[in-house]
Amino acid sequence: MKRIAIILCTLLVAALQLSAQIKTRNSRDSISINGIKFGYIYSIDQLKDALGEPTQISTWEATDYGTGFGFRFGDDLTVRMNDDERENDPGIIEFILKSPKYTLNFEGTKLKVGDSFEKVKKMPGYTSREKRYNGFYSIIFNNLMNDHSLQILFSQDEVIECISVAPRYY
């Protein structure tokens, strides 16, 4: 009877681990959308529960280990993820928001498409912005380049049109 209880307990723990988010060395609890956190590995069902039904799922062979996934939610949101902890950048590796339907929680500030640049300037540690490519600006905090880049595309009147969070490679 004791063995059966131990086996059942082990199976329960294994099942819970399979359905739980997996923290990686790149995990950032301070960056999330609807509870989906940057750097964590999630199941497709967890992403669907939090973000809705994706309109497109693409896959590719990751650089070293596992599989890379791209999840598109209409024209509103794209989420990219690597599913193996051994990968160079494991877990959620990018959020791209293109509509106000989703809110990005970034280091304690909630940002949406449609917010003004003034909201970005009021973020804790904001120092400056640097123009990068295709009109996007990298947001610099505390005068430091940081390894998880907040990049924003602004309209002519300084309204956020697109938000991207991804590891910085330069």
Side-chain angles (χ1 to χ4, degrees):
M1 188 62 143
K2 200 179 213 182
R3 286 184 182 165
I4 293 173
I6 290 172
I7 291 170
L8 288 175
C9 185
T10 303
L11 289 174
L12 178 64
V13 169
L16 288 173
Q17 282 193 325
L18 286 176
S19 66
Q21 62 192 13
I22 299 170
K23 191 170 188 167
T24 70
R25 69 183 177 283
N26 290 346
S27 295
R28 298 278 300 270
D29 291 342
S30 59
I31 302 173
S32 66
I33 297 175
N34 291 5
I36 299 298
K37 300 174 190 174
F38 193 88
Y40 283 80
I41 297 171
Y42 293 92
S43 71
I44 293 173
D45 288 336
Q46 288 172 306
L47 292 171
K48 287 178 181 179
D49 289 345
L51 303 172
E53 190 69 35
T55 54
Q56 180 182 1
I57 300 174
S58 55
T59 61
W60 60 89
E61 188 175 319
T63 307
D64 294 315
Y65 302 100
T67 303
F69 291 90
F71 302 94
R72 285 193 59 172
F73 299 88
D75 291 331
D76 303 317
L77 174 67
T78 300
V79 177
R80 293 191 178 107
M81 177 182 80
N82 288 322
D83 71 348
D84 195 311
E85 290 180 70
R86 298 172 297 169
E87 184 61 36
N88 189 31
D89 282 312
I92 299 291
I93 57 172
E94 187 170 24
F95 291 125
I96 302 171
L97 290 84
K98 293 183 179 178
S99 85
K101 183 176 177 182
Y102 295 96
T103 301
L104 174 70
N105 295 309
F106 188 89
E107 306 287 340
T109 300
K110 293 182 184 216
L111 289 177
K112 280 186 163 191
V113 169
D115 287 342
S116 73
F117 177 54
E118 291 302 313
K119 186 167 188 179
V120 175
K121 286 175 31 179
K122 292 177 183 174
M123 293 176 71
Y126 171 82
T127 304
S128 62
R129 66 181 180 177
E130 294 180 6
K131 194 164 190 175
R132 293 292 178 197
Y133 60 93
N134 297 332
F136 275 85
Y137 287 85
S138 284
I139 307 304
I140 310 301
F141 296 97
N142 296 322
N143 252 346
L144 301 171
M145 300 300 260
N146 108 15
D147 63 343
H148 293 88
S149 175
L150 175 61
Q151 296 193 32
I152 299 178
L153 177 66
F154 296 101
S155 68
Q156 291 284 342
D157 40 345
E158 301 285 296
V159 173
I160 297 173
E161 292 183 341
C162 183
I163 303 169
S164 172
V165 179
R168 188 183 306 262
Y169 293 108
Y170 50 85

